[in-house]
Amino acid sequence: MAPDPHPSAPEMQVTPAAFPGRRMRRLRLSPALRALRRETHVSADQLIYPLFVVEDPAAAGPVPSMPGVSRFDMDTLAREAESALSAGIRSVILFGVPRHKDAAATEAHDERGVIPEAIRRLQTFADDLVIITDICLCQYTDHGHCGLLHGRTIDNDETLEVLAKCAVSHAAAGAHLVAPSGMMDGMVGAIRRALDADGFHDIGILSYAAKYASGFYGPFRDAAESAPKFGDRRAYQMDPHNAREALAEVELDLQEGADIVMVKPAMPYLDVIRDVRNRFPSVPLAAYQVSGEYSMIKAACANGWLDEPRVVLESLTGIRRAGADMILTYFAKDAADYLRRGLDC
Ligand code: PBG
């Protein structure tokens, strides 16, 4: 047998020096040394800014359970997008609040509905701004569940057809990425097929692949008026006790054609982010620092119990360190501003 032309190096048998030969503090002694040794960075390019858009201008204004967050009408939305861009934020995700809800979520895929209208309003920024849209029915159904109901159960497969129509209506209006969040089985594949059938091959899918049935969505449901009128979402969103199941969810969404996969919420699920990163090293991975994560930091800071810039950046750093490439966060604009001012955790 020919000798191996590339023999692997013998395994290194290096026993690192112990104290006093080795002193970990040497690389912590100055800001420049700490910067040199730093393993993880947060940059504004990695942040996605969630924006709530209301169809009824009278419904615009601050969200009480999310201090600092507002619901925008079409005009104020355009101004907020401009302000995000000038802060250095280059991606937004839009959540629509329609005027009318019904059992069939008709407004969710109306091409003159709140989200297509918002996307068209943002087209002047479309060369600089990544426009992502959330695809779900809960804001559009009168019962507040994420799919169409038969009695008290969701009809998964019938819901897929509606989700596919939503995605096409957003793509036709000019969205760059669509983000299905309803945790229906097969939603990514159904949306991919519908987009391709209508010629939207280049519109990507950011899938909420591992979305947990979390108590941390409370403030969002105030903002989006999307709380279920009965029951809860445990029959479709994931059980918080499970991590291996998240890997199966991610694998299926990748098979169905997801371009980016997401873990949500972020801070209580850092282990899941790490597991997904380890199992799928090459896949773009997003994490959503959700409304409840935002509001609890805000509340503590408002009381003077925490230092806001420092803990905001520390929380985002932790999510990045766990393995997320990008983060959806209501702090996006603030964080970009802190980073630009040279603040860090
Ligand atoms: C819609 C949706 C929700 C969130 C994002 N998309 C709410 C839910 O599932 O009830 C939560 C985001 C947040 O809490 O910030 N399905």
Side-chain angles (χ1 to χ4, degrees), residues 21-282:
R22 191 151 189 240
R23 290 176 184 268
M24 297 301 285
R25 292 186 50 219
R26 285 177 189 140
L27 299 185
R28 289 180 201 145
L29 291 179
S30 73
L33 278 165
R34 292 193 291 275
L36 185 66
R37 203 230 179 277
R38 196 153 285 164
E39 299 172 15
T40 308
H41 295 89
V42 176
S43 113
D45 287 344
Q46 301 156 335
L47 304 180
I48 301 170
Y49 186 31
L51 294 171
F52 298 105
V53 197
V54 291
E55 189 172 22
D56 176 7
V63 178
S65 55
M66 300 179 73
V69 170
S70 282
R71 311 200 311 173
F72 301 104
D73 60 30
M74 297 301 158
D75 294 330
T76 52
L77 172 72
R79 254 178 277 149
E80 187 64 12
E82 199 163 15
S83 136
L85 271 173
S86 57
I89 295 299
R90 302 165 69 183
S91 300
V92 296
I93 180 164
L94 305 178
F95 296 93
V97 183
R99 254 184 233 268
H100 304 292
K101 300 171 188 261
D102 60 30
T106 316
E107 273 224 31
H109 51 85
D110 181 347
E111 57 198 32
R112 287 176 314 272
V114 55
I115 289 298
E117 181 61 24
I119 297 166
R120 284 190 289 268
R121 275 302 177 99
L122 296 182
Q123 286 309 297
T124 44
F125 310 110
D127 290 341
D128 304 311
L129 192 66
V130 180
I131 302 170
I132 309 170
T133 59
D134 184 82
I135 304 269
C136 194
L137 303 189
C138 57
Q139 291 109 284
Y140 301 90
T141 49
D142 49 13
H143 46 70
H145 279 287
C146 300
L148 303 182
L149 289 184
H150 276 172
R152 296 206 142 207
T153 50
I154 287 187
D155 188 320
N156 186 92
D157 299 11
E158 206 172 281
T159 300
L160 297 184
E161 292 167 32
V162 184
L163 295 175
K165 283 195 220 164
C166 297
V168 169
S169 73
H170 297 182
H176 299 118
L177 297 172
V178 294
S181 68
M183 291 298 282
M184 295 298 126
D185 287 322
M187 65 182 184
V188 173
I191 288 173
R192 184 70 271 157
R193 285 189 294 277
L195 289 173
D196 289 351
D198 278 31
F200 297 113
H201 305 98
D202 290 335
I203 304 305
I205 300 176
L206 189 175
S207 175
Y208 289 63
K211 176 176 178 178
Y212 286 86
S214 171
F216 287 97
Y217 305 151
F220 173 96
R221 292 180 188 171
D222 296 341
E225 299 172 16
S226 66
K229 295 280 184 314
F230 68 88
D232 56 39
R233 305 211 200 288
R234 289 176 210 271
Y236 39 107
Q237 298 180 347
M238 277 185 61
D239 185 332
H241 305 80
N242 298 350
R244 291 185 312 248
E245 187 185 357
L247 297 176
E249 283 284 6
V250 167
E251 188 172 4
L252 284 166
D253 284 6
L254 292 172
Q255 284 168 352
E256 290 176 30
D259 300 280
I260 304 172
V261 293
M262 193 202 294
V263 173
K264 174 190 175 187
M267 282 152 58
Y269 298 88
L270 293 175
D271 58 322
V272 178
I273 297 172
R274 168 51 51 193
D275 286 350
V276 172
R277 167 51 70 231
N278 287 349
R279 176 75 73 93
F280 304 100
S282 66

